[in-house]
């Protein structure tokens, strides 16, 4: 009985952990590595296991850094069930298809150049057909229901409050009379966030696997965040420019639309045109509108009163490329919400090309930016960026609004872990080394001398002989 940490060990993306119990193999997550070209090239390396020998996958939520290699797992021979929340299945049906489409287009673009040079053609990492086929293997669960995954392994999903359908994973394991309970946080939500409920507090575990994305920082209060957004809107209006918001299609986009509705008069949004310029985000918003049973009390009330959380009188939906290109002619008065959230692809790159050099443009960064991404360059204060071989000067003002994060901050992570009885050993995952180091120090100092483990990639942990608490 052991667990091996194959991804998101000492880094944020590429979550993947292999659990072995009673000769069975269960994969926790199968995520895509994101960041630099060198980092993303690791996605094409063979899995360190035989895909056909994986008995089941447990998926905490739909974000691509947790789910994005599932189509490759299918392509490599996996045919078992994928256990996840029903809303996660719905989101993965569009997100994995979109991921595959981008890979197919990248391969097509690359092959045009390779053909002219007489080079061998390349294949996409996986195709839309692979994505569609793996989604057919999804076995949807409700929160709080309990099932047997394989003999000796029982599973229950709890609400993680991170994105729609996100789950904390509770696992009860038994092998040769040895019983262990392992709790995997997945990605924990930011308490008090719009739309979704707060993360469930789990009380008992023999081992906790916990994310640490924001283990070295604290978010601003929600009220301070609302004030900050209002001030940016007002400043940009005085500057007579546009606002660009690189937004993750799932979660952050829907929160923004909801917040715009709640603060429509307070933020003077009637003086703007709001453009949702992302086909994926449009589909994700439609899925959010169907899963009203997952809303928190306030959002459920607003939805009952207004009929939708996401309708604005000045919201324009840009589904087609032609509609998106027309936005390039607007020099002022537009709020453009477009993906991708880390600026590594999608329509936001075109809007950056046409606006980033303007001094009256403002860019609002509202999510985590992985090392090596274009978004990280902007957050770190780059004065110039490269887009399609062209150098673009950064004249715009770039704002990082960390208070809108969908992740728990350092205090939120501490509070969640300290809610466990007897302070079980905790494995820190899904975080950069500095974040893990700072969070680990506080866990040891403030949470009953917690035993903190920061695994190396590929490291195995024997669950029959857990470290002393």
């Amino acid at each position: 009985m052991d667990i091996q940490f194959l991804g998101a060990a000492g880094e944020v993306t590429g979550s993947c952990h292999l659990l072995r119990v009673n000769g069975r193999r269960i994969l926790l997550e199968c995520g895509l590595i994101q960041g630099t070209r060198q980092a993303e090239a690791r996605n094409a390396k063979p899995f360190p296991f035989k895909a056909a020998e994986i008995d089941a996958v447990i998926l905490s939520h739909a974000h691509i850094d947790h789910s994005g290699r599932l189509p490759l797992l299918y392509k490599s021979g996996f045919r078992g069930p994928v256990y996840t929340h029903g809303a996660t299945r719905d989101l993965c049906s569009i997100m994995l298809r979109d991921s595959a489409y981008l890979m197919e287009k990248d391969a097509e673009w690359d092959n045009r150049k390779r053909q002219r040079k007489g080079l061998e053609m390349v294949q996409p990492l996986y195709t839309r057909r692979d994505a569609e086929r793996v989604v057919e293997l999804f076995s949807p669960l409700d929160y709080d229901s309990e099932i047997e995954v394989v003999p000796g392994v029982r599973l229950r999903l709890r609400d993680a409050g991170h994105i729609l359908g996100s789950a904390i994973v509770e696992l009860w394991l038994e092998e040769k009379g040895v019983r262990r309970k392992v709790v995997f946080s997945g990605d924990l939500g930011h308490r008090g966030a719009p739309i979704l409920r707060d993360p469930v507090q789990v009380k008992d575990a023999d081992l906790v696997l916990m994310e640490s994305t924001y283990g070295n920082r604290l978010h601003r209060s929600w009220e301070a965040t609302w004030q900050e957004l209002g001030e940016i809107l007002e400043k940009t209006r005085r500057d007579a420019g546009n606002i660009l918001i690189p937004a993750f299609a799932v979660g952050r986009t829907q929160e923004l639309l909801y917040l715009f509705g709640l603060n429509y008069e307070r933020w003077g949004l009637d003086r703007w045109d709001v453009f949702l310029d992302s086909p994926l985000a449009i589909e994700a918003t439609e899925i959010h509108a169907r899963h009203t049973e997952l809303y928190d009390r306030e959002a459920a009330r607003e939805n009952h009163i207004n009929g939708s959380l996401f309708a604005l009188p000045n919201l324009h939906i840009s589904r087609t490329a032609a509609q998106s290109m027309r936005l390039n002619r607007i020099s002022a008065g537009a709020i453009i919400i477009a993906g991708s959230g880390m600026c590594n692809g999608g329509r936001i790159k075109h809007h950056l090309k046409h606006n980033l050099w303007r001094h009256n443009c403002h860019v609002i960064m509202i999510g985590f930016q992985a090392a090596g991404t274009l978004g990280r360059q902007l957050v770190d204060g780059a004065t110039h960026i490269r887009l399609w071989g062209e150098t673009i000067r950064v004249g715009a003002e770039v704002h990082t609004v960390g208070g809108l994060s969908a992740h728990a901050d350092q205090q939120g992570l501490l509070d969640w872990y300290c809610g466990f009885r007897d302070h079980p050993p905790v494995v820190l995952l899904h975080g950069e080394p500095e974040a893990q180091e700072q969070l680990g120090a506080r866990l040891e100092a403030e949470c009953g001398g917690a035993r903190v483990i920061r695994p190396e990639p590929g490291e195995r942990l024997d669950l029959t002989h857990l470290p002393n608490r």
Side-chain angles (χ1 to χ4, degrees):
M1 184 191 298
D2 65 41
I3 187 166
Q4 186 175 15
F5 306 104
L6 302 174
E11 59 184 331
V12 173
T13 65
S15 291
C16 187
H17 317 295
L18 180 59
L19 182 66
R20 297 176 179 89
V21 182
N22 294 316
R24 303 297 186 98
R25 294 172 174 83
I26 299 167
L27 212 56
L28 282 177
E29 322 276 64
C30 192
L32 206 66
I33 299 164
Q34 299 171 303
T36 64
R37 278 186 173 273
Q38 292 81 1
E40 292 182 354
R42 290 157 51 202
N43 289 311
K45 291 184 177 179
F47 289 110
F49 49 79
K50 292 182 179 179
E53 294 180 356
I54 298 297
D55 294 286
V57 175
I58 298 171
L59 177 62
S60 70
H61 66 287
H63 276 152
I64 290 297
D65 61 319
H66 295 256
S67 69
R69 284 212 292 174
L70 283 171
L72 181 61
L73 192 71
Y74 176 89
K75 181 179 178 180
S76 303
F78 171 73
R79 295 296 183 271
V82 179
Y83 294 104
T84 193
H85 191 276
T88 298
R89 178 199 57 186
D90 294 346
L91 290 171
C92 279
S93 69
I94 62 172
M95 296 178 72
L96 295 179
R97 183 190 68 210
D98 180 72
S99 176
Y101 169 76
L102 294 175
M103 290 177 183
E104 290 173 343
K105 296 300 288 185
D106 285 347
E108 179 184 338
W109 178 260
D110 195 17
N111 281 335
R112 288 177 186 171
K113 294 185 289 184
R114 297 177 73 86
Q115 190 173 26
R116 289 194 292 268
K117 297 176 181 179
L119 299 176
E120 184 179 352
M121 298 295 98
V122 297
Q123 298 296 320
L125 189 64
Y126 53 78
T127 66
R128 279 171 283 183
R129 180 179 175 83
D130 297 321
E132 291 162 1
R133 287 295 178 87
V134 79
V135 171
E136 292 174 359
L137 300 178
F138 278 39
S139 182
L141 305 174
D142 293 326
Y143 289 135
D144 304 324
S145 62
E146 193 174 314
I147 66 162
E148 184 178 63
V149 176
V150 296
V153 178
R154 290 185 294 122
L155 162 69
R156 181 168 65 183
L157 302 181
R158 312 296 296 278
D159 195 340
H162 173 61
I163 64 169
L164 196 77
S166 60
I168 297 162
V169 176
E170 290 184 284
L171 291 168
W172 289 266
L173 315 176
E174 183 173 357
E175 180 179 304
K176 297 178 181 178
V178 176
R179 294 181 178 89
R180 295 287 183 263
K181 183 182 179 186
V182 176
V183 176
F184 172 48
S185 72
D187 284 356
L188 292 174
H190 184 179
R191 292 186 66 85
I195 303 179
L196 300 180
R197 296 185 284 264
D198 290 340
V200 168
Q201 179 62 63
V202 181
K203 294 293 185 182
D204 297 298
D206 296 304
L207 179 71
V208 176
L209 314 177
M210 188 170 75
E211 67 121 325
S212 53
T213 314
Y214 285 114
N216 60 341
R217 70 185 79 174
L218 301 174
H219 299 322
R220 300 186 74 181
S221 71
W222 287 112
E223 186 54 40
T225 299
W226 307 155
Q227 182 176 345
E228 183 180 8
L229 280 170
E231 290 171 353
I232 295 169
L233 286 164
E234 179 58 27
K235 187 175 191 304
T236 313
R237 190 187 67 81
R238 292 197 306 268
D239 291 344
N242 292 328
I243 292 176
L244 305 183
I245 307 180
F248 298 95
V250 175
R252 212 60 46 81
T253 292
Q254 292 75 38
E255 288 180 359
L256 273 176
L257 294 177
Y258 177 43
L259 290 173
F260 283 173
L262 289 179
N263 296 278
Y264 193 79
E265 294 182 1
R266 176 184 175 183
W267 292 347
L269 281 158
D270 60 322
R271 295 173 290 190
W272 294 88
D273 283 306
V274 181
F275 296 91
L276 180 54
D277 187 29
S278 165
L280 182 61
I282 293 165
E283 288 187 279
T285 301
E286 292 167 351
I287 291 172
H288 277 71
R290 295 201 298 268
H291 281 280
T292 58
E293 77 282 0
L294 300 180
Y295 295 178
D296 65 16
R297 186 176 302 173
E298 180 183 354
R301 183 174 63 248
E302 289 292 330
N303 186 72
H304 178 73
I305 293 170
N306 300 317
S308 173
L309 298 185
F310 313 116
L312 297 170
N314 54 351
L315 176 64
H316 308 275
I317 302 297
S318 297
R319 293 185 186 271
T320 68
Q323 289 172 322
S324 179
M325 286 187 285
R326 282 199 287 271
L327 304 186
N328 296 332
R329 298 197 291 266
I330 302 175
S331 60
I335 299 174
I336 300 172
I337 304 169
S340 66
M342 297 186 194
C343 305
N344 264 18
R347 295 178 178 180
I348 193 63
K349 292 177 69 175
H350 296 277
H351 298 307
L352 290 170
K353 177 181 178 179
H354 288 273
N355 288 272
L356 193 61
W357 49 271
R358 302 175 187 268
H359 287 288
N360 60 350
C361 173
H362 290 250
V363 180
I364 306 179
M365 311 299 290
I366 57 172
F368 181 81
Q369 305 298 315
T373 61
L374 177 56
R376 183 66 164 261
Q377 292 179 44
L378 292 173
V379 165
D380 288 345
T383 58
H384 294 81
I385 64 167
R386 296 279 291 176
L387 289 173
W388 301 291
E390 181 180 350
T391 298
I392 309 293
R393 177 176 54 85
V394 181
E397 187 170 348
V398 178
H399 309 265
T400 301
V401 183
L404 274 177
S405 173
H407 285 269
D409 65 0
Q410 185 188 75
Q411 191 60 52
L413 294 168
L414 282 166
D415 291 344
W416 186 77
Y417 171 79
C418 287
F420 283 92
R421 297 186 183 96
D422 302 324
H423 304 114
V426 55
V427 178
L428 295 185
L429 302 165
H430 201 283
E432 294 176 349
E434 182 182 351
Q436 293 186 344
E437 183 177 347
Q438 292 189 31
L439 176 61
R442 286 199 65 186
L443 285 166
E444 291 170 347
E446 301 175 33
C447 295
R451 173 68 186 271
V452 178
I453 303 166
R454 294 165 55 193
E456 296 293 324
E459 184 176 337
R460 282 195 192 191
L461 180 62
D462 185 349
L463 300 179
T464 60
H465 300 94
L466 289 173
N468 294 328
R469 298 181 181 180

